Amino acid sequence: MIQIFSNSLGEEEIEAVRRVFESRWIGFANECKLFEKEFGEKIGESKVLAINSCTAGLFMAMKILGIAPRDEIIVPAINFIGVPNAVIAAGAKPVFADVDTRYLNILPSEIDRLRNRNTKAVFLLHYGGHPCDVDELRKHCNGLYILEDSANSIVSKYKDKNCGTLGDIGCFSFDAMKILSAGDGGAITVMDEKLFLKAMEVRYLGIKNRQSGIDSLKENKNRWWEIELASAENRYLTNDILCAIARVQLKKLNSFIKRRKEIWRIYQSAFEGVRFIEKPPEPLPDTESSYYLYWIKVKNNLRDKLAAYLVKNGIYCTFRYYPLNLVKYYDSKERLPNAAQLNEEILNLPLHQNLSNDDIEKIIDTVKRFFKRV
Ligand SMILES: Cc1ncc(COP(=O)(O)O)c(C=O)c1O
């Protein structure tokens, strides 16, 4: 089966893990700190913390901002379930917003429609790696925090600034399906200095000044085991094994994006003028995409049939992300026409750096063959 995601992990990553094993310390230490520095340089923001997942970052964001019961957070309907889960865990209410039918990014007008006295923040997802029109959105967010889920947009740029550094807090993912893949792990950026210090506490159980026993000993405290808590928090620390892998992946990241962009272009010209297919849009002017997803719209109620045909022919495909307002658990009353339409039409085809030219040809031929038969 041709997979929709893949990773490029090899000898260099194994070597990096070996180095960590040999150091006899596999927890949070130098590799994590170096990763924070190097990733920060890559995205142009020094206030970065390495954490154990992007979902951890979403949960942390609620704590950092003090989101509480009765607060409301606007969330684009096409997004990952971890976002509303984090909001609900904070006792607050996720309010689902409709998205643009081409970019699948949140509609600015939805923020005006949905905001009220209780609204505290708006989540942005840069769907598939294509940055939202952030300046336009900002006009509608005055007085609200902007939280970026940058899991799709690791090095995407909006007017030369990296996604995940455009709002107040940004969350990144390095799980098994992401472009930079370490198996798990994530990062959080926090723009405000005070909130950044708070984030450090939230990351590690709420311990004041993030001090470990070893840190206290170094400061010649005679009872270095004493604990001072600022608040009662969860534990979102990552470790040197994951960060050692992530550091190697970071060096390879540009080559991954380059190949993804090449494949994107091949698909775009191959699907030009194909009946029943609407291609995805190019990134907005003055933006750069990370090319995380490739999405087509399949017309005439043929999406599910095409999906079944591709899978039968050894090509995995899917739809990211099933509209959140349709997830029964959330019990949303929002009727969102664009999300409803996209739910019938969108299909993600494989897009990753390990696709061979033969794979790409097979995917394109199989899609075209399907439409010749209908
Ligand atoms: C858009 C989006 N946000 C957040 C996440 C969560 O990432 P993680 O698996 O690192 O928690 C994912 C994971 O698939 C995602 O696709």
Side-chain angles (χ1 to χ4, degrees):
M1 180 82 86
I2 299 178
Q3 294 298 336
I4 194 144
F5 303 117
S6 181
N7 64 63
S8 305
L9 296 162
E11 284 307 317
E12 285 171 277
E13 284 82 356
I14 291 173
E15 200 40 55
V17 172
R18 191 190 313 281
R19 205 175 56 235
V20 175
F21 280 17
E22 284 167 358
S23 78
R24 294 276 164 228
W25 177 254
I26 59 174
F28 184 95
N30 284 349
E31 294 290 333
C32 298
K33 288 177 194 156
L34 285 167
F35 177 72
E36 284 173 347
K37 181 172 168 290
E38 291 160 5
F39 186 62
E41 282 163 7
K42 183 82 185 161
I43 63 168
E45 172 54 54
S46 60
K47 294 195 279 314
V48 178
L49 298 178
I51 50 177
N52 53 21
S53 70
C54 182
T55 304
L58 302 169
F59 277 67
M60 283 175 70
M62 298 298 107
K63 289 294 196 142
I64 295 165
L65 299 177
I67 300 301
R70 278 191 291 282
D71 288 345
E72 295 189 6
I73 312 285
I74 297 175
V75 175
I78 303 289
N79 203 345
F80 180 67
I81 48 173
V83 176
N85 287 2
V87 175
I88 291 167
K93 182 180 169 195
V95 179
F96 300 122
D98 214 351
V99 297
D100 177 282
T101 55
R102 295 175 67 231
Y103 286 90
L104 281 62
N105 283 332
I106 190 167
L107 283 169
S109 57
E110 283 290 270
I111 300 171
D112 302 333
R113 182 176 76 85
L114 296 169
R115 68 182 292 176
N116 61 39
R117 276 188 295 144
N118 297 328
T119 310
K120 291 288 179 317
V122 176
F123 262 101
L124 306 183
L125 172 69
H126 307 285
Y127 182 84
H130 282 23
C132 302
D133 187 349
V134 178
D135 281 351
E136 179 57 29
L137 284 162
R138 230 190 275 283
K139 288 184 207 155
H140 299 257
C141 288
N142 56 330
L144 304 178
Y145 290 114
I146 295 181
L147 310 178
E148 292 177 273
D149 178 332
S150 209
N152 287 194
S153 51
I154 183 162
V155 283
S156 300
K157 299 220 167 27
Y158 178 81
K159 299 187 177 171
D160 283 336
K161 236 180 151 238
N162 210 96
C163 288
T165 71
L166 299 158
D168 298 286
I169 292 181
C171 301
F172 296 83
S173 171
F174 313 128
D175 77 22
M177 291 180 291
K178 294 304 178 305
I179 304 178
L180 187 162
S181 182
D184 252 318
I188 185 167
T189 50
V190 183
M191 299 306 136
D192 178 84
E193 188 66 44
K194 263 205 192 131
L195 292 179
F196 181 65
L197 295 176
K198 171 83 181 157
M200 288 191 187
E201 283 172 359
V202 171
R203 177 171 65 170
Y204 189 44
L205 298 159
I207 294 179
K208 225 176 183 170
N209 304 324
R210 304 102 40 212
Q211 274 213 324
S212 68
I214 302 270
D215 294 331
S216 298
L217 183 61
K218 278 187 199 149
E219 286 177 14
N220 295 324
K221 289 207 173 140
N222 56 1
R223 290 184 178 183
W224 54 90
W225 48 83
E226 289 180 350
I227 288 169
E228 256 197 285
L229 270 195
S231 54
E233 305 293 348
N234 210 321
R235 182 184 181 283
Y236 300 109
L237 278 186
T238 184
N239 64 58
D240 269 12
I241 299 174
L242 291 181
C243 285
I245 298 171
R247 288 183 65 211
V248 179
Q249 288 274 293
L250 194 55
K251 291 200 194 107
K252 300 180 177 175
L253 190 54
N254 286 353
S255 68
F256 299 162
I257 308 277
K258 185 165 171 263
R259 176 65 179 152
R260 283 168 173 270
K261 188 171 178 177
E262 259 168 38
I263 298 168
W264 170 280
R265 286 195 171 146
I266 297 170
Y267 280 152
Q268 288 292 69
S269 64
F271 295 132
E272 177 67 43
V274 175
R275 202 161 59 118
F276 303 127
I277 290 187
E278 190 181 315
K279 298 181 301 171
E282 293 301 319
L284 290 171
D286 223 356
T287 70
E288 286 171 38
S289 181
S290 298
Y291 299 98
Y292 177 58
L293 297 171
Y294 186 79
W295 63 102
I296 54 172
K297 271 200 237 169
V298 186
K299 299 295 180 179
N300 279 36
N301 275 331
L302 289 168
R303 194 270 314 266
D304 293 3
K305 289 198 182 91
L306 172 62
Y309 185 75
L310 290 175
V311 169
K312 205 172 107 214
N313 283 279
I315 299 163
Y316 189 69
C317 54
T318 189
F319 166 40
R320 298 261 152 149
Y321 298 87
Y322 180 63
L324 296 170
N325 61 312
L326 301 182
V327 175
K328 286 197 187 69
Y329 178 84
Y330 298 131
D331 197 22
S332 168
K333 301 287 176 281
E334 288 297 332
R335 299 284 162 264
L336 306 174
N338 292 356
Q341 183 202 331
L342 296 165
N343 188 39
E344 299 303 318
E345 293 185 346
I346 293 286
L347 194 64
N348 300 113
L349 300 179
L351 178 60
H352 58 78
Q353 63 274 4
N354 294 333
L355 289 174
S356 66
N357 289 342
D358 284 350
D359 293 334
I360 301 165
E361 207 177 301
K362 176 174 170 177
I363 295 164
I364 294 168
D365 287 351
T366 312
V367 170
K368 288 187 174 171
R369 201 171 344 118
F370 171 81
F371 286 111
K372 279 205 190 106
R373 290 156 35 113
V374 295

